[in-house]
Structures are given as structure tokens and as C-alpha cells.
Amino acid sequence: MSLTAPPAPAPRITYGAVLGSPYVTRLLGGTLASRLPNGMAPVAILLWATTNGGSIAFGGLLSALYGLSSALAQPVKGRLMDRHGQTAVHLPAALLNASLLVTLPLAGPYGGPGLTTAIVAAAGLTTPALEAGLRALWPSVLPDHRLRHAALALDTGTQGLLYIVGPLLVATLASAYNPSVALAVTAALGLTGTTVVAFAPPSRRWCPTLSAQEQARTAHRLSSPGLMLLFISLAGIGFAIGAMNVWAITMAGYHEQELLAGILPAAFSTGSFFGGLLYGRRRWIGTTTDRLIGAGTLFLAGWLPLVALPGPYGATAAVVVPGVFLTVVVACAYVTTDSLTPAGRTSEAYAWLILAIGTGQSVGTALAGRLAEQPLTTAALPAAGAAFALVVLLAARRRLGPAAA
């Protein structure tokens, strides 16, 4: 009989403990404010273009160009952060981005479509890489891996709300004033949020752990089979999200209820928010890889009811389920990326992860748009993207490693 008392269970993690940790509220709040323009700028650009005599097709092109150029520039900014630190990259990017957004209404009437397109592309390219930067800061801000686990889930879950609040704010400002005011507010929010983060001590003190020569020697590690397969699978996740947005518009037309075009994505984002809250509070057993594949399986299962073409209420309830598991997939993907990435290259690796999802989302949107007149096919596209992601994850399972959380 042992006289040794069993170890006391670890105290339960609460979001109060996470938010009460030094700098967490400032970093998370500033990052959310600076990323709110990600949901505002495409809508504000579209409204500004159509209000000033441009066609919806041209406005849509400008909106898509902003999002695509922003995603494509992520790895470059991530690598610059890994070499020069965060503040040196965040602040110039935010200043340029804000200046270009404010300049757009002034330059548009004089430069024509060519200058307008160039300004929008440049604004997208200079969007601050706050999301990748924040993920790189968590290990130094929250050394306790359980607190870091909860913070990552909270961060991932709340980003879906940006795409609900952002478009609503733009619509309100454009209705009360005009789209130019919405662009100015978008610029101000981005610059203010980035400044809050960039001048926070953890961001100012953060520096790469490898020299430029050492980073060059580890460059091949970012093209390791495990990371490449993980990013390819995440493109499938993004494809499902992009197709879902077009499917929502198709459903709105099919049922002659315009509000569904906004309600369905909002329900999906709400599921993502609550999924993050629930996931971050629990202490999980097993490996991150197991949770990643399990969540990917449930993410796929959540899309399958759409193939039955449910009514408005059924469709709204259905999309909540894949939204819940999206947060788990993305949170586990970040942890896996961290475990497979050499020290000093994390910002760039996170940026490639963001690019993979964004690229898949663009492809999903484009393909679903081409097939929008076929309701059944459009409804099946999110499940197709999720199935692709799951197949790749299963094939990559041994290469992803047993990254335990």
C-alpha cells in the first residue's frame, strides 16, 4: 500500500485566467480591431465602386483582388517578421494600408479603373500580418501550454465574428454617410489596432531566434512533406468555406429570402465562435494529430445534410455544426505547424497556413459561382472540399507527428 498521495489534478483553465494574464487582453483586442478591416475593406471597396458608377462586376473584381493580394503577401511579411521583428514590419504596413484606403476615393475619379485597381492591389499587399504575428507571440506571453491552448482557441473562434460585425458596420456607415466614410473608418481601425499591438512590450521585444544565415540553412524545413500536406489539406477547408458563402446566396435566391445570404454565413461564424469557447475550456487527451483528424471528420459530416437541400431553418441549423469544428481544425493545425517548424521560422509558417486557407477559399468561391445555377451541385461543394481535406490529412497522418497538446 502506497503512502504517497495521488497528485492533485491540474486546476481548470478559465477564460478569465487567460484574459487576466499580462498583455493578453491588449494583444487579443488590438489584433481583433486591426483584423476587423479584413471583413470591412472588401465590402467597403465594392460599395464605393458601385456608388461611383462602376459595375457590380468591376466592384466584385476589386473586392476579390484586395483579399487575394492580402493573402498572397502573408508569407513575405511573415518572413520579414522572422528576420527583423514584428514592430518593424507591422507599423509600416499599417501606415501604407491606411493611406491607400483613404486615398482610394480621392484618386478614383482622376485615375480611372487602372489607378483604382493598382491602389486596391497595393492596399491588399500592405495589410498587416497581425494574425500570424499574434500566433508567434503566444508562447512568450503564455508559457503554460494549457493557457496557450485556450488563448489559441479563443483567438481562432472570435475571428469568425469579424466577418459578421465588419460587413454590418460598413453597411451602417455607407447608409448613414457614404462608402468613402466606411473606407476611412476601416483605415482608422486597422491603424489603431496595429499600433496597440506593435507598441505592446511582447511585440516590441519579440525577435527572431535564428540569424539570417541560420534561417537560410533551415529554409528546406518549411517545405517538409508534413507541412506541405497539412497546408494542402487546409486549402480544402478554405474551399468549403468559400463555396458555402456562394451556396448561401444560391439558397437566398432559391427560397426567395434575401436575408439568408447573410444569415447562413452568420450562423456558420457563430458556430465557430462557440466551438472555440468550448474547445479551449476542455483538457484533451490524446495527440493533436488525432484531434485534427477527428475534427476534420466531423467538419465533413456537418456539411452532408446540405446535399438534401433543407429549408431555410434546417439549413441555418445545419451550418452551425461545421462551424463548430472549423475552430478545432484550425487551432490544431496551428499547433501542428508549430511542432513541424524550425525555431525562428514560425511567423512565416503561420503565414503560409493563412495563405493556404485563403487560396482555397478563393477557389471555392470562384467554382461555386460558376455552378450557382445548379443548387444540388453548389450544396455538395462544401462537403467536397472537406472530404479532400480529410483524405489528405489521413494520408499525412504519420508525417504530422504525435504533437501532444
Side-chain angles (χ1 to χ4, degrees):
M1 180 177 178
S2 174
L3 298 178
T4 304
R12 186 176 181 181
I13 293 297
T14 65
Y15 285 114
V18 173
L19 296 174
S21 300
Y23 305 114
V24 168
T25 300
R26 175 174 177 174
L27 290 172
L28 186 58
T31 300
L32 289 175
S34 62
R35 283 159 55 194
L36 187 59
N38 293 346
M40 296 177 65
V43 180
I45 290 169
L46 174 60
L47 290 177
W48 172 81
T50 54
T51 301
N52 286 272
S55 67
I56 294 178
F58 180 62
L61 176 64
L62 292 177
S63 179
L65 178 62
Y66 182 88
L68 183 60
S69 59
S70 175
L72 290 174
Q74 288 285 329
V76 175
K77 285 174 279 191
R79 187 160 195 174
L80 288 173
M81 283 192 289
D82 283 335
R83 288 191 173 186
H84 305 292
Q86 293 196 358
T87 302
V89 177
H90 285 335
L91 284 180
L95 285 167
L96 285 170
N97 177 262
S99 299
L100 289 164
L101 288 176
V102 172
T103 301
L104 181 61
L106 303 177
Y110 304 102
L115 180 59
T116 297
T117 302
I119 291 175
V120 169
L125 290 172
T126 55
T127 304
L130 270 296
E131 184 175 354
L134 180 63
R135 305 290 162 80
L137 286 177
W138 284 138
S140 62
V141 175
L142 295 169
D144 186 328
H145 73 89
R146 294 178 305 135
L147 288 173
R148 193 160 63 246
H149 167 86
L152 182 58
L154 182 62
D155 173 22
T156 304
T158 52
Q159 69 179 346
L161 298 180
L162 302 179
Y163 296 94
I164 300 174
V165 176
L168 287 175
L169 181 56
V170 168
T172 301
L173 290 169
S175 176
Y177 303 99
N178 57 65
S180 297
V181 173
L183 281 169
V185 172
T186 300
L189 281 171
L191 182 58
T192 301
T194 302
T195 302
V196 168
V197 173
F199 283 110
S203 184
R204 285 191 290 107
R205 292 195 298 257
W206 190 88
C207 60
T209 56
L210 297 181
S211 66
Q213 293 78 11
E214 291 172 321
Q215 289 183 23
R217 286 198 298 269
T218 60
H220 68 282
R221 290 281 301 279
L222 284 186
S223 59
S224 66
L227 274 178
M228 291 298 99
L229 289 170
L230 176 63
F231 295 159
I232 290 171
S233 73
L234 292 173
I237 299 296
F239 181 95
I241 299 170
M244 182 271 299
N245 289 327
V246 178
W247 165 80
I249 297 173
T250 302
M251 286 287 290
Y254 184 76
H255 293 286
E256 298 182 348
Q257 295 185 24
E258 293 184 4
L259 286 177
L260 277 178
I263 290 174
L264 291 171
F268 177 79
S269 296
T270 301
S272 177
F273 173 68
F274 285 107
L277 292 181
L278 294 172
Y279 177 69
R281 285 179 58 87
R282 288 201 57 182
R283 181 176 176 83
W284 299 89
I285 60 174
T287 67
T288 302
T289 301
D290 290 337
R291 291 198 297 277
L292 176 60
I293 292 175
T297 302
L298 294 171
F299 182 73
L300 167 59
W303 292 116
L304 295 178
L306 303 189
V307 182
L309 299 179
Y313 293 110
T316 302
V319 296
V320 173
V321 177
V324 168
F325 293 103
L326 170 68
T327 299
V328 183
V329 169
V330 174
C332 291
Y334 271 106
V335 175
T336 303
T337 298
D338 185 64
S339 71
L340 296 175
T341 302
R345 301 297 299 277
T346 53
S347 297
E348 184 181 354
Y350 294 154
W352 278 108
L353 187 157
I354 296 166
L355 174 59
I357 295 176
T359 301
Q361 190 168 348
S362 298
V363 174
T365 300
L367 182 58
R370 293 289 299 272
L371 301 173
E373 295 181 359
Q374 304 176 37
L376 180 59
T377 303
T378 308
L381 285 178
F388 172 83
L390 180 59
V391 169
V392 176
L393 286 174
L394 289 171
R397 183 170 195 150
R398 293 186 178 181
R399 297 182 182 275
L400 297 180

